[in-house]
């Protein structure tokens, strides 16, 4: 299992441009770096999965390997098992949406855990598939239960922007930034969505990413990869 984890980390480095390999076209015509260890990873993880020795995180890792091997149905099955085992594993829920842009059929949907994360997943899927009116209804219900969630507020703002409710969307983004001036998620798109944003007198743009606290997840990930590459060389 330790070898699987090591090879999965190699996969992460390759996806980030830190390795070599072939670049077959992926879905949508985009090129991607191919990890030569994927078949070995799949063989080892599949054996563990068949023996019911993978927890939710292991099932999620297996799903990522299956996705890279262009096996979306098997990857979806692994992701469903992952969220059943660990309902709060949002990465698995997000991957489910990405793998099933047309939505999950009723048979698979019935197997999803009846957990509060299911409400977030359904709202997220609606927003990703441009069902914006439905997404707004779902996120407003979530906001009632999670009134301080900047994530829910940001998703609502995006849905309103998609419906061309620009004033409401901009106002929502401004409120989020006032509550959390160092927030990047969702808010980083403001200069793209609203080109005049930097000229709003009541709000100045947050510091650029390199100046953000080193304790942020993105900063930690970048520093870990830098240290790993330095060590490996």
């Amino acid at each position: 299992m330790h070898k699987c984890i090591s090879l999965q980390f190699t996969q992460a480095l390759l996806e980030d441009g830190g390795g070599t390999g072939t670049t077959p076209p992926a879905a949508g015509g985009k090129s991607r770096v191919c990890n030569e260890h994927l078949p070995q990873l799949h063989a080892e993880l599949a054996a563990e999965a068949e023996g019911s020795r993978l927890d939710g995180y292991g099932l999620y890792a297996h799903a990522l390997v299956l996705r890279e091997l262009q096996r979306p149905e098997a990857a979806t099955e692994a992701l469903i098992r992952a969220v059943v085992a660990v309902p709060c594993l949002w990465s698995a829920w997000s991957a489910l949406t990405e793998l099933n842009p047309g939505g999950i059929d009723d048979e698979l949907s019935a197997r999803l855990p009846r957990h509060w994360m299911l409400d977030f997943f359904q709202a997220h899927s609606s927003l990703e598939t441009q069902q914006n009116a439905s997404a707004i209804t779902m996120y407003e219900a979530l906001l009632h239960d999670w009134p301080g969630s900047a994530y829910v507020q940001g998703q609502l703002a995006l849905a309103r922007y998609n419906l061309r409710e620009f004033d409401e969307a901009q106002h929502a983004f401004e409120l989020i930034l006032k509550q959390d001036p160092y927030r990047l998620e969702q808010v980083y798109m403001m200069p793209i969505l609203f080109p005049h944003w930097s000229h709003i007198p009541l709000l100045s743009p947050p510091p650029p990413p390199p100046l953000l606290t080193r304790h942020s997840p993105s900063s930690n990930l970048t520093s870990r990869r830098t240290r790993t590459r330095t060590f490996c060389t």
Side-chain angles (χ1 to χ4, degrees), residues 98-127:
E98 294 170 6
L99 277 172
N100 300 273
I104 297 179
D105 61 45
D106 293 339
E107 181 179 353
L108 292 178
S109 181
R111 295 173 52 199
L112 294 174
R114 294 305 175 245
H115 188 271
W116 51 265
M117 284 291 284
L118 180 61
D119 297 330
F120 282 90
F121 167 71
Q122 292 173 336
H124 174 73
S125 296
S126 294
L127 183 59

Side-chain angles (χ1 to χ4, degrees), residues 27-201:
K30 296 181 180 179
S31 62
R32 61 185 179 88
V33 178
C34 182
N35 186 343
E36 62 184 8
H37 298 294
L38 282 174
Q40 180 184 352
L41 264 172
H42 170 56
E44 295 184 10
L45 287 170
E48 295 294 317
E50 290 173 4
S52 300
R53 292 185 293 271
L54 289 181
D55 60 9
Y57 299 96
L59 290 166
Y60 170 62
H62 190 202
L64 295 184
V65 172
L66 290 167
R67 182 191 65 186
E68 293 303 307
L69 290 173
Q70 305 296 298
R71 297 179 57 185
E73 293 83 5
T76 295
E77 174 66 25
L79 288 170
I80 290 177
R81 293 179 62 190
V83 298
V84 169
V86 185
C88 289
L89 184 55
W90 179 245
S91 296
W93 291 104
S94 297
L96 265 176
T97 299
E98 294 170 6
L99 277 172
N100 300 273
I104 297 179
D105 61 45
D106 293 339
E107 181 179 353
L108 292 178
S109 181
R111 295 173 52 199
L112 294 174
R114 294 305 175 245
H115 188 271
W116 51 265
M117 284 291 284
L118 180 61
D119 297 330
F120 282 90
F121 167 71
Q122 292 173 336
H124 174 73
S125 296
S126 294
L127 183 59
E128 290 296 308
T129 55
Q130 293 296 312
Q131 301 177 47
N132 295 292
S134 177
I136 287 176
T137 300
M138 294 181 186
Y139 279 120
E140 284 179 340
L142 284 169
L143 194 61
H144 180 268
D145 296 327
W146 306 81
S149 172
Y151 167 77
V152 174
Q153 295 173 27
Q155 294 294 88
L156 264 173
L158 286 175
R160 295 192 186 284
Y161 181 89
N162 291 341
L163 289 177
R164 307 182 69 82
E165 298 176 4
F166 301 130
D167 291 339
E168 293 87 345
Q170 179 174 312
H171 179 66
F173 278 124
E174 291 173 11
L175 289 178
I176 293 171
L177 261 186
K178 286 181 180 179
Q179 296 171 10
D180 185 359
Y182 290 91
R183 184 176 180 81
L184 278 181
E185 186 180 6
Q186 302 160 319
V187 177
Y188 76 94
M189 294 183 294
M190 278 195 67
I192 301 173
L193 302 180
F194 309 105
H196 62 290
W197 170 61
S198 59
H199 303 294
I200 297 175

